[in-house]
Amino acid sequence: MKRAHALSRRERQIMDILYRSGKATAAEVRDAMPDAPSYSAVRAMLRILEEKGHLRHEQDGPRYVFLPAEPRDQAKRSALRHLMETFFDGSVEQTVAALLDSETRNMKPSELDKLSRLIEEARKKGV
Amino acid sequence: MKRAHALSRRERQIMDILYRSGKATAAEVRDAMPDAPSYSAVRAMLRILEEKGHLRHEQDGPRYVFLPAEPRDQAKRSALRHLMETFFDGSVEQTVAALLDSETRNMKPSELDKLSRLIEEARKKGV
DNA sequence: GAGGGTGTGCTAAATTTTTAGCATGAAACG
DNA sequence: CGTTTCATGCTAAAAATTTAGCACACCCTC
């Protein structure tokens, strides 16, 4: 995620698949696509993304397994920041509010407890 | 944000500018681009995005002002969900934790208070 | 050994995206 | 009024992206 808008449609899709799964073979990447082209088209795109420096490959037995070049933590941070700036005026509070607002129904009390704890810890750190 | 990977590089960039600012003229969209092409190239892209149904225009005096076709709240929700699924295994808790982790230094106690309140409200709603 | 399945490297063509310029109209200015 | 500036609609070409097929290699089974 070197620059927010450096990737094309299919490139973005492939990178998201890799971020979600951590790593994947070309066949796995292809299986994760709702609108998958041919196997060789997927491989060609993976090669291009590697040339561009967005991902790398490792040998896994007879085949390659692909991983994002950028550490996941870093990519997370960038993605979060970009989302906040695009939709929430850069505000953590607004972002969290939207998260809680849209997902409340699915959260257990224990999860809410955890969040409270996280906030307490953040309070200590911030002082 | 009809489908997570429907937009190309420049299309994505333009939609993000519109979501960020709410609405913009072609000149304003262009000014917001770090790597802006010509004015007429920007207008051409805006026209294409409108044909595809992603945005609409209104007359504002002598010029058009462009707005996302999708309500901002809806787009927010979609974007949040997509981010959570891509980077946080779909977990609100993990997402919030990452937010707090990376932004703690910038948050005032009053903002943390507000978050605590939000969680309390979420707790009530969820029961 | 032959055939089938799976994998890679590479190439080029098809397709999509992006770009910019032209023609025209309206408004502002001297 | 003439000129300049700003705006739109439109077109086509340049550029980028995406696609798929070929040649080859390796492995397994019969």
Side-chain angles (χ1 to χ4, degrees), chain B residues 5-122:
Chain B
H5 296 104
L7 297 175
S8 67
R9 194 184 83 81
R10 194 66 94 182
E11 287 173 337
R12 176 84 267 138
Q13 184 183 34
I14 289 169
M15 289 314 302
D16 281 357
I17 289 167
L18 290 182
Y19 284 128
R20 195 183 306 140
S21 56
K23 64 183 179 180
T25 62
E28 285 168 348
V29 169
R30 183 167 183 268
D31 287 345
M33 296 177 172
D35 59 337
S38 68
Y39 178 66
S40 74
V42 173
R43 289 186 302 102
M45 292 302 309
L46 286 163
R47 197 179 314 115
I48 285 161
L49 281 164
E50 183 157 7
E51 276 161 24
K52 288 187 178 183
H54 294 297
L55 59 84
R56 59 188 174 92
H57 74 257
E58 286 168 3
Q59 194 78 34
D60 179 37
R63 70 187 58 77
Y64 287 174
V65 69
F66 296 92
L67 305 96
E70 189 179 24
R72 206 176 182 220
D73 277 357
Q74 200 173 315
K76 282 183 184 179
R77 234 170 263 129
S78 299
L80 266 175
R81 199 161 298 124
H82 183 254
L83 181 104
M84 280 197 298
E85 279 165 13
T86 303
F87 291 103
F88 300 101
D89 303 314
S91 158
V92 175
E93 182 203 319
Q94 281 182 49
T95 312
V96 173
L99 266 174
L100 293 177
D101 199 45
S102 59
E103 299 293 328
T104 296
R105 250 140 273 153
N106 307 319
M107 294 184 72
K108 306 174 196 159
S110 61
E111 288 176 321
L112 290 167
D113 286 345
K114 228 174 204 174
L115 289 188
S116 289
R117 244 172 278 139
L118 285 172
I119 290 169
E120 284 314 308
E121 284 168 25

Side-chain angles (χ1 to χ4, degrees), chain A residues 1 3-10 12-17 19-21 35 72 75-77 79-105 107 109-116 118-127, chain B residues 1 3-10 12-17 19-21 35 72 75-77 79-105 107 109-116 118-127:
Chain A
M1 194 113 26
R3 223 175 78 215
H5 297 103
L7 299 174
S8 67
R9 192 183 87 77
R10 194 67 94 183
R12 175 84 269 139
Q13 185 183 33
I14 289 170
M15 290 311 304
D16 280 357
I17 289 166
Y19 284 128
R20 194 181 309 141
S21 56
D35 58 336
R72 207 177 182 217
K76 282 182 186 181
R77 233 169 266 131
L80 264 177
R81 201 162 296 122
H82 183 256
L83 181 102
M84 280 198 297
E85 279 165 11
T86 303
F87 291 104
F88 301 100
D89 302 316
S91 157
V92 174
E93 183 202 317
Q94 279 182 49
T95 312
V96 173
L99 269 173
L100 293 177
D101 198 45
S102 59
E103 301 291 330
T104 295
R105 248 142 275 153
M107 294 185 72
S110 61
E111 287 175 321
L112 290 167
D113 286 344
K114 227 170 205 177
L115 290 189
S116 291
L118 286 172
I119 289 170
E120 283 314 308
E121 284 168 30
R123 214 187 290 264
K124 285 166 189 167
K125 277 184 193 169
V127 178
Chain B
M1 197 109 36
R3 224 176 77 218
H5 296 104
L7 297 175
S8 67
R9 194 184 83 81
R10 194 66 94 182
R12 176 84 267 138
Q13 184 183 34
I14 289 169
M15 289 314 302
D16 281 357
I17 289 167
Y19 284 128
R20 195 183 306 140
S21 56
D35 59 337
R72 206 176 182 220
K76 282 183 184 179
R77 234 170 263 129
L80 266 175
R81 199 161 298 124
H82 183 254
L83 181 104
M84 280 197 298
E85 279 165 13
T86 303
F87 291 103
F88 300 101
D89 303 314
S91 158
V92 175
E93 182 203 319
Q94 281 182 49
T95 312
V96 173
L99 266 174
L100 293 177
D101 199 45
S102 59
E103 299 293 328
T104 296
R105 250 140 273 153
M107 294 184 72
S110 61
E111 288 176 321
L112 290 167
D113 286 345
K114 228 174 204 174
L115 289 188
S116 289
L118 285 172
I119 290 169
E120 284 314 308
E121 284 168 25
R123 213 186 290 265
K124 285 167 190 165
K125 278 185 192 164
V127 177

